[in-house]
Amino acid sequence: MAENTITMYGAEWCGDCRRTKKQLTELGIDFDYIDLVAEPERADDAKAISGRTNIPVVVYPDGSHQVEPTNPEVETKLKDLALL
């Protein structure tokens, strides 16, 4: 994983995914978006990371991840990583 890469696994039908994707975009955070509708085989990757089938799964550059994070949780993590 690149030093400052954030990866988000999600789907457009998922309200939490749309919210988190919008938040990252509005904050100007670069991230790789894995669309699980377009690439359903990648759902196994998200499950392997989180141990769950819930989305979104947001993977941070430090190797940590969040599942279905709230906007404040995402913002706190970005600040902790000095990305904000």
Side-chain angles (χ1 to χ4, degrees):
M1 182 176 288
E3 185 175 318
N4 286 321
T5 300
I6 292 174
T7 302
M8 179 182 153
Y9 296 84
E12 288 305 310
W13 54 260
C14 166
D16 287 335
C17 298
R18 289 192 309 269
R19 177 183 45 76
T20 300
K21 186 177 179 184
K22 181 178 187 240
Q23 179 188 19
L24 291 172
T25 300
E26 288 178 351
L27 290 172
I29 301 297
D30 289 331
F31 64 100
D32 293 331
Y33 181 72
I34 309 298
D35 183 342
L36 297 177
V37 172
E39 299 181 74
E41 69 280 2
R42 300 294 304 269
D44 290 338
D45 298 341
K47 185 177 179 184
I49 291 163
S50 69
R52 301 165 55 187
T53 57
N54 305 64
I55 54 174
V57 175
V58 183
V59 183
Y60 295 96
D62 65 354
S64 67
H65 70 274
Q66 293 174 321
V67 181
E68 297 180 315
T70 64
N71 284 5
E73 288 171 337
V74 171
E75 190 168 338
T76 295
K77 183 63 180 179
L78 293 172
K79 287 178 180 177
D80 289 347
L81 294 173
L83 296 174
L84 269 186

